[in-house]
Amino acid sequence: MRPDFDPLDDPPWAMQLVVRAEKADPPAHGAVCAAAAAAVVRLLTDPRATEPDGEWRASVHAWESRRIRKVTRRARGVRWPEAQALPGVTARHAGAQVRAFPPGPVSDVPPELAKLQVAGLDLAEAGEPAPPPEPPYAAIALNPDVTMTTGKAAAQCGHAAQLLLRQGKRRHVAAWLEAGARVHLTRDVPWRACVKEARGRDRVAVRDGGFTEVPPGTMTAIAWIVR
């Protein structure tokens, strides 16, 4: 048996995230990260995932009982409308579009998604994005000492938003969702300050499983709700 074998993660499941990345007008790195986080939250709070008879409820529960893997893919041209035609939820942020799909076994991805490229999504930044005009919103900070592609960073932001949704204080989460589940990728808060404050219930931290790009246990992102 493999030393890293986890019976609760066999077979592995993942949520697929697809980023629209046209050659002529690609989105910015930070905008994709924020859109990915919003897409994850919107799927997890969609009635199809929360209602007792919701068509996604069983798959979401099965996935959250395992490692919460996310796989980021890119689509352009005709591949984007093909992905849009599949069941899922699309979030838009500052010119970026990301669609989240109900989780399932990594060995059973719809062919329209399986043919989309996973590795190599690395987009340029477009400066510090402006926060929403007023709270509440989720702020996510990425570890500046860890090098990640846009695809990896988007998945980490998705993890952070999911943990915040599930572990944040109920009244704060409810207010955030009521305001539209807005997300802001922040760089104006020092990382050390984020880590220091992440020990409280008001903040969540993502420690990566180490399957791609970074060593296992690396703290990649911290999220909190700005009120």
Side-chain angles (χ1 to χ4, degrees):
M1 182 179 293
R2 303 189 315 271
D4 62 342
F5 177 76
D6 183 349
L8 294 179
D9 197 38
D10 184 36
W13 282 41
M15 174 184 284
Q16 304 292 322
L17 303 174
V18 175
V19 179
R20 185 178 188 181
E22 303 290 349
K23 287 184 178 181
D25 187 23
H29 172 92
V32 167
C33 290
V40 169
V41 171
R42 290 176 187 174
L43 187 144
L44 293 176
T45 57
D46 188 285
R48 289 168 287 184
T50 60
E51 294 297 326
D53 58 349
E55 59 190 281
W56 301 344
R57 183 181 175 90
S59 63
V60 167
H61 175 75
W63 172 61
E64 290 194 310
S65 299
R66 296 169 164 83
R67 298 176 188 265
I68 56 169
R69 286 188 178 96
K70 296 178 180 69
V71 176
T72 307
R73 302 172 183 270
R74 68 181 183 188
R76 59 172 58 112
V78 69
R79 301 305 184 198
W80 176 249
E82 288 178 352
Q84 285 282 84
L86 297 175
V89 177
T90 298
R92 296 168 174 81
H93 182 88
Q97 298 180 62
V98 178
R99 188 166 181 83
F101 297 86
V106 296
S107 60
D108 189 24
V109 178
E112 295 90 344
L113 302 184
K115 60 188 174 186
L116 299 179
Q117 184 172 338
V118 175
L121 178 60
D122 207 6
L123 301 168
E125 192 48 273
E128 176 72 17
E134 60 183 24
Y137 59 87
I140 299 177
L142 289 170
N143 188 340
D145 299 323
V146 176
T147 300
M148 294 182 284
T149 63
T150 302
K152 180 70 171 182
Q156 300 307 297
C157 288
H159 294 335
Q162 181 177 355
L163 292 176
L164 193 61
L165 173 70
R166 298 308 195 204
Q167 300 176 12
K169 289 184 178 178
R170 291 297 91 192
R171 67 179 185 277
H172 298 159
V173 170
W176 172 42
L177 297 179
E178 181 67 24
R182 297 170 298 173
V183 177
H184 172 56
L185 186 67
T186 181
R187 296 180 185 83
D188 58 2
V189 180
W191 177 251
R192 287 189 177 182
C194 291
V195 173
K196 183 178 180 180
E197 295 183 25
R199 299 186 181 94
R201 181 164 165 72
D202 286 339
R203 301 197 178 202
V204 297
V206 178
R207 292 190 179 273
D208 192 68
F211 296 103
T212 60
E213 296 191 24
V214 302
T218 300
M219 187 182 292
T220 55
I222 293 173
W224 64 97
I225 296 174
V226 177
R227 309 188 301 278

mmCIF file with all atom_site columns, all heavy atoms in Angstrom, residues 199-222:
data_model
loop_
_atom_site.group_PDB
_atom_site.id
_atom_site.type_symbol
_atom_site.label_atom_id
_atom_site.label_alt_id
_atom_site.label_comp_id
_atom_site.label_asym_id
_atom_site.label_entity_id
_atom_site.label_seq_id
_atom_site.pdbx_PDB_ins_code
_atom_site.Cartn_x
_atom_site.Cartn_y
_atom_site.Cartn_z
_atom_site.occupancy
_atom_site.B_iso_or_equiv
_atom_site.pdbx_formal_charge
_atom_site.auth_seq_id
_atom_site.auth_comp_id
_atom_site.auth_asym_id
_atom_site.auth_atom_id
_atom_site.pdbx_PDB_model_num
ATOM 1   N N   . ARG A 1 199 ? -4.930  32.292 13.326  1.00 0.00 ? 199 ARG A N   1
ATOM 2   C CA  . ARG A 1 199 ? -5.171  31.312 14.393  1.00 0.00 ? 199 ARG A CA  1
ATOM 3   C C   . ARG A 1 199 ? -6.582  31.432 14.969  1.00 0.00 ? 199 ARG A C   1
ATOM 4   O O   . ARG A 1 199 ? -7.063  30.528 15.625  1.00 0.00 ? 199 ARG A O   1
ATOM 5   C CB  . ARG A 1 199 ? -4.143  31.500 15.501  1.00 0.00 ? 199 ARG A CB  1
ATOM 6   C CG  . ARG A 1 199 ? -2.702  31.295 15.035  1.00 0.00 ? 199 ARG A CG  1
ATOM 7   C CD  . ARG A 1 199 ? -1.734  31.347 16.202  1.00 0.00 ? 199 ARG A CD  1
ATOM 8   N NE  . ARG A 1 199 ? -0.361  31.172 15.761  1.00 0.00 ? 199 ARG A NE  1
ATOM 9   C CZ  . ARG A 1 199 ? 0.457   32.180 15.476  1.00 0.00 ? 199 ARG A CZ  1
ATOM 10  N NH1 . ARG A 1 199 ? 0.037   33.426 15.604  1.00 0.00 ? 199 ARG A NH1 1
ATOM 11  N NH2 . ARG A 1 199 ? 1.694   31.957 15.088  1.00 0.00 ? 199 ARG A NH2 1
ATOM 12  N N   . GLY A 1 200 ? -7.233  32.547 14.715  1.00 0.00 ? 200 GLY A N   1
ATOM 13  C CA  . GLY A 1 200 ? -8.577  32.743 15.246  1.00 0.00 ? 200 GLY A CA  1
ATOM 14  C C   . GLY A 1 200 ? -9.641  32.178 14.322  1.00 0.00 ? 200 GLY A C   1
ATOM 15  O O   . GLY A 1 200 ? -9.377  31.803 13.186  1.00 0.00 ? 200 GLY A O   1
ATOM 16  N N   . ARG A 1 201 ? -10.870 32.116 14.805  1.00 0.00 ? 201 ARG A N   1
ATOM 17  C CA  . ARG A 1 201 ? -11.980 31.552 14.036  1.00 0.00 ? 201 ARG A CA  1
ATOM 18  C C   . ARG A 1 201 ? -12.398 32.473 12.894  1.00 0.00 ? 201 ARG A C   1
ATOM 19  O O   . ARG A 1 201 ? -13.052 32.038 11.948  1.00 0.00 ? 201 ARG A O   1
ATOM 20  C CB  . ARG A 1 201 ? -13.171 31.280 14.965  1.00 0.00 ? 201 ARG A CB  1
ATOM 21  C CG  . ARG A 1 201 ? -14.374 30.673 14.269  1.00 0.00 ? 201 ARG A CG  1
ATOM 22  C CD  . ARG A 1 201 ? -15.337 30.075 15.254  1.00 0.00 ? 201 ARG A CD  1
ATOM 23  N NE  . ARG A 1 201 ? -16.635 29.803 14.664  1.00 0.00 ? 201 ARG A NE  1
ATOM 24  C CZ  . ARG A 1 201 ? -16.889 28.832 13.803  1.00 0.00 ? 201 ARG A CZ  1
ATOM 25  N NH1 . ARG A 1 201 ? -15.932 28.036 13.408  1.00 0.00 ? 201 ARG A NH1 1
ATOM 26  N NH2 . ARG A 1 201 ? -18.113 28.652 13.318  1.00 0.00 ? 201 ARG A NH2 1
ATOM 27  N N   . ASP A 1 202 ? -11.994 33.720 12.928  1.00 0.00 ? 202 ASP A N   1
ATOM 28  C CA  . ASP A 1 202 ? -12.410 34.652 11.899  1.00 0.00 ? 202 ASP A CA  1
ATOM 29  C C   . ASP A 1 202 ? -11.653 34.456 10.587  1.00 0.00 ? 202 ASP A C   1
ATOM 30  O O   . ASP A 1 202 ? -12.011 35.051 9.572   1.00 0.00 ? 202 ASP A O   1
ATOM 31  C CB  . ASP A 1 202 ? -12.213 36.096 12.368  1.00 0.00 ? 202 ASP A CB  1
ATOM 32  C CG  . ASP A 1 202 ? -13.262 36.500 13.400  1.00 0.00 ? 202 ASP A CG  1
ATOM 33  O OD1 . ASP A 1 202 ? -14.316 35.842 13.442  1.00 0.00 ? 202 ASP A OD1 1
ATOM 34  O OD2 . ASP A 1 202 ? -13.025 37.459 14.149  1.00 0.00 ? 202 ASP A OD2 1
ATOM 35  N N   . ARG A 1 203 ? -10.582 33.654 10.611  1.00 0.00 ? 203 ARG A N   1
ATOM 36  C CA  . ARG A 1 203 ? -9.787  33.456 9.400   1.00 0.00 ? 203 ARG A CA  1
ATOM 37  C C   . ARG A 1 203 ? -9.539  31.978 9.169   1.00 0.00 ? 203 ARG A C   1
ATOM 38  O O   . ARG A 1 203 ? -9.496  31.189 10.109  1.00 0.00 ? 203 ARG A O   1
ATOM 39  C CB  . ARG A 1 203 ? -8.451  34.203 9.493   1.00 0.00 ? 203 ARG A CB  1
ATOM 40  C CG  . ARG A 1 203 ? -8.640  35.699 9.685   1.00 0.00 ? 203 ARG A CG  1
ATOM 41  C CD  . ARG A 1 203 ? -7.401  36.488 9.371   1.00 0.00 ? 203 ARG A CD  1
ATOM 42  N NE  . ARG A 1 203 ? -7.677  37.919 9.530   1.00 0.00 ? 203 ARG A NE  1
ATOM 43  C CZ  . ARG A 1 203 ? -6.978  38.877 8.946   1.00 0.00 ? 203 ARG A CZ  1
ATOM 44  N NH1 . ARG A 1 203 ? -5.951  38.574 8.172   1.00 0.00 ? 203 ARG A NH1 1
ATOM 45  N NH2 . ARG A 1 203 ? -7.287  40.142 9.130   1.00 0.00 ? 203 ARG A NH2 1
ATOM 46  N N   . VAL A 1 204 ? -9.388  31.611 7.897   1.00 0.00 ? 204 VAL A N   1
ATOM 47  C CA  . VAL A 1 204 ? -9.077  30.221 7.547   1.00 0.00 ? 204 VAL A CA  1
ATOM 48  C C   . VAL A 1 204 ? -7.795  30.208 6.735   1.00 0.00 ? 204 VAL A C   1
ATOM 49  O O   . VAL A 1 204 ? -7.488  31.163 6.009   1.00 0.00 ? 204 VAL A O   1
ATOM 50  C CB  . VAL A 1 204 ? -10.217 29.561 6.751   1.00 0.00 ? 204 VAL A CB  1
ATOM 51  C CG1 . VAL A 1 204 ? -11.490 29.490 7.587   1.00 0.00 ? 204 VAL A CG1 1
ATOM 52  C CG2 . VAL A 1 204 ? -10.487 30.304 5.436   1.00 0.00 ? 204 VAL A CG2 1
ATOM 53  N N   . ALA A 1 205 ? -7.040  29.143 6.855   1.00 0.00 ? 205 ALA A N   1
ATOM 54  C CA  . ALA A 1 205 ? -5.787  28.995 6.127   1.00 0.00 ? 205 ALA A CA  1
ATOM 55  C C   . ALA A 1 205 ? -5.818  27.711 5.307   1.00 0.00 ? 205 ALA A C   1
ATOM 56  O O   . ALA A 1 205 ? -6.356  26.687 5.746   1.00 0.00 ? 205 ALA A O   1
ATOM 57  C CB  . ALA A 1 205 ? -4.612  28.971 7.101   1.00 0.00 ? 205 ALA A CB  1
ATOM 58  N N   . VAL A 1 206 ? -5.245  27.772 4.125   1.00 0.00 ? 206 VAL A N   1
ATOM 59  C CA  . VAL A 1 206 ? -5.157  26.612 3.234   1.00 0.00 ? 206 VAL A CA  1
ATOM 60  C C   . VAL A 1 206 ? -3.752  26.039 3.321   1.00 0.00 ? 206 VAL A C   1
ATOM 61  O O   . VAL A 1 206 ? -2.770  26.763 3.117   1.00 0.00 ? 206 VAL A O   1
ATOM 62  C CB  . VAL A 1 206 ? -5.465  26.994 1.776   1.00 0.00 ? 206 VAL A CB  1
ATOM 63  C CG1 . VAL A 1 206 ? -5.309  25.781 0.860   1.00 0.00 ? 206 VAL A CG1 1
ATOM 64  C CG2 . VAL A 1 206 ? -6.857  27.581 1.656   1.00 0.00 ? 206 VAL A CG2 1
ATOM 65  N N   . ARG A 1 207 ? -3.665  24.758 3.607   1.00 0.00 ? 207 ARG A N   1
ATOM 66  C CA  . ARG A 1 207 ? -2.385  24.042 3.555   1.00 0.00 ? 207 ARG A CA  1
ATOM 67  C C   . ARG A 1 207 ? -2.492  23.017 2.443   1.00 0.00 ? 207 ARG A C   1
ATOM 68  O O   . ARG A 1 207 ? -3.343  22.129 2.481   1.00 0.00 ? 207 ARG A O   1
ATOM 69  C CB  . ARG A 1 207 ? -2.063  23.383 4.897   1.00 0.00 ? 207 ARG A CB  1
ATOM 70  C CG  . ARG A 1 207 ? -1.762  24.405 5.996   1.00 0.00 ? 207 ARG A CG  1
ATOM 71  C CD  . ARG A 1 207 ? -1.211  23.742 7.245   1.00 0.00 ? 207 ARG A CD  1
ATOM 72  N NE  . ARG A 1 207 ? -0.898  24.737 8.274   1.00 0.00 ? 207 ARG A NE  1
ATOM 73  C CZ  . ARG A 1 207 ? 0.253   25.382 8.360   1.00 0.00 ? 207 ARG A CZ  1
ATOM 74  N NH1 . ARG A 1 207 ? 1.200   25.146 7.451   1.00 0.00 ? 207 ARG A NH1 1
ATOM 75  N NH2 . ARG A 1 207 ? 0.477   26.261 9.320   1.00 0.00 ? 207 ARG A NH2 1
ATOM 76  N N   . ASP A 1 208 ? -1.622  23.147 1.469   1.00 0.00 ? 208 ASP A N   1
ATOM 77  C CA  . ASP A 1 208 ? -1.752  22.367 0.242   1.00 0.00 ? 208 ASP A CA  1
ATOM 78  C C   . ASP A 1 208 ? -1.383  20.897 0.453   1.00 0.00 ? 208 ASP A C   1
ATOM 79  O O   . ASP A 1 208 ? -0.509  20.575 1.266   1.00 0.00 ? 208 ASP A O   1
ATOM 80  C CB  . ASP A 1 208 ? -0.849  22.970 -0.842  1.00 0.00 ? 208 ASP A CB  1
ATOM 81  C CG  . ASP A 1 208 ? -1.155  22.405 -2.204  1.00 0.00 ? 208 ASP A CG  1
ATOM 82  O OD1 . ASP A 1 208 ? -2.250  22.690 -2.728  1.00 0.00 ? 208 ASP A OD1 1
ATOM 83  O OD2 . ASP A 1 208 ? -0.320  21.656 -2.747  1.00 0.00 ? 208 ASP A OD2 1
ATOM 84  N N   . GLY A 1 209 ? -2.057  20.028 -0.298  1.00 0.00 ? 209 GLY A N   1
ATOM 85  C CA  . GLY A 1 209 ? -1.780  18.603 -0.218  1.00 0.00 ? 209 GLY A CA  1
ATOM 86  C C   . GLY A 1 209 ? -0.483  18.193 -0.877  1.00 0.00 ? 209 GLY A C   1
ATOM 87  O O   . GLY A 1 209 ? -0.014  17.065 -0.697  1.00 0.00 ? 209 GLY A O   1
ATOM 88  N N   . GLY A 1 210 ? 0.098   19.087 -1.678  1.00 0.00 ? 210 GLY A N   1
ATOM 89  C CA  . GLY A 1 210 ? 1.390   18.800 -2.277  1.00 0.00 ? 210 GLY A CA  1
ATOM 90  C C   . GLY A 1 210 ? 1.355   17.947 -3.530  1.00 0.00 ? 210 GLY A C   1
ATOM 91  O O   . GLY A 1 210 ? 2.369   17.374 -3.920  1.00 0.00 ? 210 GLY A O   1
ATOM 92  N N   . PHE A 1 211 ? 0.204   17.871 -4.208  1.00 0.00 ? 211 PHE A N   1
ATOM 93  C CA  . PHE A 1 211 ? 0.117   17.062 -5.420  1.00 0.00 ? 211 PHE A CA  1
ATOM 94  C C   . PHE A 1 211 ? 0.758   17.766 -6.621  1.00 0.00 ? 211 PHE A C   1
ATOM 95  O O   . PHE A 1 211 ? 1.259   17.108 -7.535  1.00 0.00 ? 211 PHE A O   1
ATOM 96  C CB  . PHE A 1 211 ? -1.348  16.721 -5.730  1.00 0.00 ? 211 PHE A CB  1
ATOM 97  C CG  . PHE A 1 211 ? -1.990  15.868 -4.667  1.00 0.00 ? 211 PHE A CG  1
ATOM 98  C CD1 . PHE A 1 211 ? -2.851  16.418 -3.742  1.00 0.00 ? 211 PHE A CD1 1
ATOM 99  C CD2 . PHE A 1 211 ? -1.713  14.515 -4.585  1.00 0.00 ? 211 PHE A CD2 1
ATOM 100 C CE1 . PHE A 1 211 ? -3.440  15.641 -2.757  1.00 0.00 ? 211 PHE A CE1 1
ATOM 101 C CE2 . PHE A 1 211 ? -2.292  13.720 -3.609  1.00 0.00 ? 211 PHE A CE2 1
ATOM 102 C CZ  . PHE A 1 211 ? -3.154  14.294 -2.694  1.00 0.00 ? 211 PHE A CZ  1
ATOM 103 N N   . THR A 1 212 ? 0.735   19.101 -6.643  1.00 0.00 ? 212 THR A N   1
ATOM 104 C CA  . THR A 1 212 ? 1.322   19.847 -7.758  1.00 0.00 ? 212 THR A CA  1
ATOM 105 C C   . THR A 1 212 ? 1.965   21.129 -7.252  1.00 0.00 ? 212 THR A C   1
ATOM 106 O O   . THR A 1 212 ? 1.450   21.781 -6.342  1.00 0.00 ? 212 THR A O   1
ATOM 107 C CB  . THR A 1 212 ? 0.260   20.232 -8.812  1.00 0.00 ? 212 THR A CB  1
ATOM 108 O OG1 . THR A 1 212 ? -0.740  21.059 -8.201  1.00 0.00 ? 212 THR A OG1 1
ATOM 109 C CG2 . THR A 1 212 ? -0.395  18.993 -9.411  1.00 0.00 ? 212 THR A CG2 1
ATOM 110 N N   . GLU A 1 213 ? 3.105   21.457 -7.817  1.00 0.00 ? 213 GLU A N   1
ATOM 111 C CA  . GLU A 1 213 ? 3.785   22.755 -7.716  1.00 0.00 ? 213 GLU A CA  1
ATOM 112 C C   . GLU A 1 213 ? 4.422   23.091 -6.369  1.00 0.00 ? 213 GLU A C   1
ATOM 113 O O   . GLU A 1 213 ? 5.464   23.717 -6.324  1.00 0.00 ? 213 GLU A O   1
ATOM 114 C CB  . GLU A 1 213 ? 2.859   23.907 -8.144  1.00 0.00 ? 213 GLU A CB  1
ATOM 115 C CG  . GLU A 1 213 ? 2.440   23.842 -9.597  1.00 0.00 ? 213 GLU A CG  1
ATOM 116 C CD  . GLU A 1 213 ? 1.760   25.123 -10.077 1.00 0.00 ? 213 GLU A CD  1
ATOM 117 O OE1 . GLU A 1 213 ? 1.985   26.209 -9.501  1.00 0.00 ? 213 GLU A OE1 1
ATOM 118 O OE2 . GLU A 1 213 ? 0.980   25.019 -11.057 1.00 0.00 ? 213 GLU A OE2 1
ATOM 119 N N   . VAL A 1 214 ? 3.799   22.737 -5.254  1.00 0.00 ? 214 VAL A N   1
ATOM 120 C CA  . VAL A 1 214 ? 4.345   23.128 -3.946  1.00 0.00 ? 214 VAL A CA  1
ATOM 121 C C   . VAL A 1 214 ? 4.454   21.907 -3.035  1.00 0.00 ? 214 VAL A C   1
ATOM 122 O O   . VAL A 1 214 ? 3.717   20.929 -3.201  1.00 0.00 ? 214 VAL A O   1
ATOM 123 C CB  . VAL A 1 214 ? 3.485   24.215 -3.273  1.00 0.00 ? 214 VAL A CB  1
ATOM 124 C CG1 . VAL A 1 214 ? 3.370   25.446 -4.155  1.00 0.00 ? 214 VAL A CG1 1
ATOM 125 C CG2 . VAL A 1 214 ? 2.118   23.686 -2.912  1.00 0.00 ? 214 VAL A CG2 1
ATOM 126 N N   . PRO A 1 215 ? 5.370   21.959 -2.051  1.00 0.00 ? 215 PRO A N   1
ATOM 127 C CA  . PRO A 1 215 ? 5.515   20.829 -1.114  1.00 0.00 ? 215 PRO A CA  1
ATOM 128 C C   . PRO A 1 215 ? 4.258   20.656 -0.265  1.00 0.00 ? 215 PRO A C   1
ATOM 129 O O   . PRO A 1 215 ? 3.547   21.624 0.021   1.00 0.00 ? 215 PRO A O   1
ATOM 130 C CB  . PRO A 1 215 ? 6.716   21.237 -0.251  1.00 0.00 ? 215 PRO A CB  1
ATOM 131 C CG  . PRO A 1 215 ? 7.455   22.264 -1.050  1.00 0.00 ? 215 PRO A CG  1
ATOM 132 C CD  . PRO A 1 215 ? 6.399   22.995 -1.827  1.00 0.00 ? 215 PRO A CD  1
ATOM 133 N N   . PRO A 1 216 ? 3.975   19.422 0.167   1.00 0.00 ? 216 PRO A N   1
ATOM 134 C CA  . PRO A 1 216 ? 2.802   19.196 1.015   1.00 0.00 ? 216 PRO A CA  1
ATOM 135 C C   . PRO A 1 216 ? 2.903   19.970 2.316   1.00 0.00 ? 216 PRO A C   1
ATOM 136 O O   . PRO A 1 216 ? 3.970   20.113 2.907   1.00 0.00 ? 216 PRO A O   1
ATOM 137 C CB  . PRO A 1 216 ? 2.822   17.679 1.267   1.00 0.00 ? 216 PRO A CB  1
ATOM 138 C CG  . PRO A 1 216 ? 4.208   17.246 0.933   1.00 0.00 ? 216 PRO A CG  1
ATOM 139 C CD  . PRO A 1 216 ? 4.702   18.173 -0.110  1.00 0.00 ? 216 PRO A CD  1
ATOM 140 N N   . GLY A 1 217 ? 1.776   20.500 2.758   1.00 0.00 ? 217 GLY A N   1
ATOM 141 C CA  . GLY A 1 217 ? 1.729   21.263 3.989   1.00 0.00 ? 217 GLY A CA  1
ATOM 142 C C   . GLY A 1 217 ? 2.008   22.741 3.839   1.00 0.00 ? 217 GLY A C   1
ATOM 143 O O   . GLY A 1 217 ? 1.891   23.496 4.806   1.00 0.00 ? 217 GLY A O   1
ATOM 144 N N   . THR A 1 218 ? 2.354   23.178 2.616   1.00 0.00 ? 218 THR A N   1
ATOM 145 C CA  . THR A 1 218 ? 2.633   24.592 2.385   1.00 0.00 ? 218 THR A CA  1
ATOM 146 C C   . THR A 1 218 ? 1.378   25.431 2.625   1.00 0.00 ? 218 THR A C   1
ATOM 147 O O   . THR A 1 218 ? 0.305   25.130 2.086   1.00 0.00 ? 218 THR A O   1
ATOM 148 C CB  . THR A 1 218 ? 3.123   24.825 0.946   1.00 0.00 ? 218 THR A CB  1
ATOM 149 O OG1 . THR A 1 218 ? 4.314   24.070 0.725   1.00 0.00 ? 218 THR A OG1 1
ATOM 150 C CG2 . THR A 1 218 ? 3.409   26.307 0.697   1.00 0.00 ? 218 THR A CG2 1
ATOM 151 N N   . MET A 1 219 ? 1.497   26.488 3.422   1.00 0.00 ? 219 MET A N   1
ATOM 152 C CA  . MET A 1 219 ? 0.371   27.404 3.598   1.00 0.00 ? 219 MET A CA  1
ATOM 153 C C   . MET A 1 219 ? 0.331   28.323 2.386   1.00 0.00 ? 219 MET A C   1
ATOM 154 O O   . MET A 1 219 ? 1.245   29.105 2.151   1.00 0.00 ? 219 MET A O   1
ATOM 155 C CB  . MET A 1 219 ? 0.519   28.217 4.884   1.00 0.00 ? 219 MET A CB  1
ATOM 156 C CG  . MET A 1 219 ? -0.712  29.067 5.198   1.00 0.00 ? 219 MET A CG  1
ATOM 157 S SD  . MET A 1 219 ? -0.536  30.078 6.702   1.00 0.00 ? 219 MET A SD  1
ATOM 158 C CE  . MET A 1 219 ? -0.523  28.815 7.962   1.00 0.00 ? 219 MET A CE  1
ATOM 159 N N   . THR A 1 220 ? -0.711  28.202 1.609   1.00 0.00 ? 220 THR A N   1
ATOM 160 C CA  . THR A 1 220 ? -0.787  28.921 0.338   1.00 0.00 ? 220 THR A CA  1
ATOM 161 C C   . THR A 1 220 ? -1.705  30.133 0.366   1.00 0.00 ? 220 THR A C   1
ATOM 162 O O   . THR A 1 220 ? -1.491  31.095 -0.372  1.00 0.00 ? 220 THR A O   1
ATOM 163 C CB  . THR A 1 220 ? -1.281  27.981 -0.776  1.00 0.00 ? 220 THR A CB  1
ATOM 164 O OG1 . THR A 1 220 ? -2.533  27.405 -0.362  1.00 0.00 ? 220 THR A OG1 1
ATOM 165 C CG2 . THR A 1 220 ? -0.267  26.879 -1.051  1.00 0.00 ? 220 THR A CG2 1
ATOM 166 N N   . ALA A 1 221 ? -2.745  30.103 1.189   1.00 0.00 ? 221 ALA A N   1
ATOM 167 C CA  . ALA A 1 221 ? -3.733  31.187 1.176   1.00 0.00 ? 221 ALA A CA  1
ATOM 168 C C   . ALA A 1 221 ? -4.407  31.320 2.529   1.00 0.00 ? 221 ALA A C   1
ATOM 169 O O   . ALA A 1 221 ? -4.525  30.346 3.284   1.00 0.00 ? 221 ALA A O   1
ATOM 170 C CB  . ALA A 1 221 ? -4.790  30.933 0.096   1.00 0.00 ? 221 ALA A CB  1
ATOM 171 N N   . ILE A 1 222 ? -4.838  32.525 2.817   1.00 0.00 ? 222 ILE A N   1
ATOM 172 C CA  . ILE A 1 222 ? -5.602  32.829 4.033   1.00 0.00 ? 222 ILE A CA  1
ATOM 173 C C   . ILE A 1 222 ? -6.793  33.693 3.621   1.00 0.00 ? 222 ILE A C   1
ATOM 174 O O   . ILE A 1 222 ? -6.659  34.578 2.768   1.00 0.00 ? 222 ILE A O   1
ATOM 175 C CB  . ILE A 1 222 ? -4.741  33.563 5.074   1.00 0.00 ? 222 ILE A CB  1
ATOM 176 C CG1 . ILE A 1 222 ? -3.642  32.614 5.590   1.00 0.00 ? 222 ILE A CG1 1
ATOM 177 C CG2 . ILE A 1 222 ? -5.583  34.084 6.231   1.00 0.00 ? 222 ILE A CG2 1
ATOM 178 C CD1 . ILE A 1 222 ? -2.641  33.281 6.500   1.00 0.00 ? 222 ILE A CD1 1
#
